[in-house]
Amino acid sequence: MKGLIAVACCIVIAAGGYFAWGEYSSYRLRSEVAAGRDGARVELFNLANAEPYEIDKVRAFCKTMSDKRYRDNDNTDFVRILVRNCSALGYS
């Protein structure tokens, strides 16, 4: 009987560890995504020479980059990534 209780305890501990590891991995992924978004937002504000409250300035910068990409057919990685970030962050 003691052996059965020991095995049951090991199973419960292993299941708890598995669940905790899955939650930690999910949290870490969400944290990395949020940090990437914050970094992209800071980069856009820096490139637009805008203060945190000057959202219109960033929107104008994003519009300029979008026009450069689609109207002027600029397919460089820098412009493509900027336009993608503008769109993803809601500034376009």
Side-chain angles (χ1 to χ4, degrees):
M1 190 65 153
K2 288 181 183 180
L4 182 61
I5 292 173
V7 169
C9 287
C10 289
I11 290 173
V12 168
I13 290 170
Y18 180 77
F19 175 75
W21 182 257
E23 288 297 313
Y24 173 71
S25 296
S26 176
Y27 166 77
R28 195 174 68 202
L29 179 62
R30 285 191 311 269
S31 296
E32 289 174 5
V33 168
R37 261 191 218 118
D38 291 341
R41 184 174 288 113
V42 167
E43 180 183 27
L44 283 177
F45 275 82
N46 287 340
L47 289 171
N49 292 324
E51 295 297 321
Y53 54 87
E54 296 179 307
I55 294 172
D56 291 335
K57 208 172 186 181
V58 175
R59 288 185 198 279
F61 174 76
C62 287
K63 171 90 170 87
T64 302
M65 288 294 108
S66 181
D67 289 346
K68 185 174 181 161
R69 174 149 191 231
Y70 296 115
R71 194 174 343 142
D72 300 341
N73 202 21
D74 187 345
N75 289 323
T76 60
D77 285 340
F78 180 73
V79 173
R80 183 181 55 80
I81 290 170
L82 277 178
V83 170
R84 181 198 66 193
N85 287 345
C86 286
S87 178
L89 295 171
Y91 295 118
S92 60

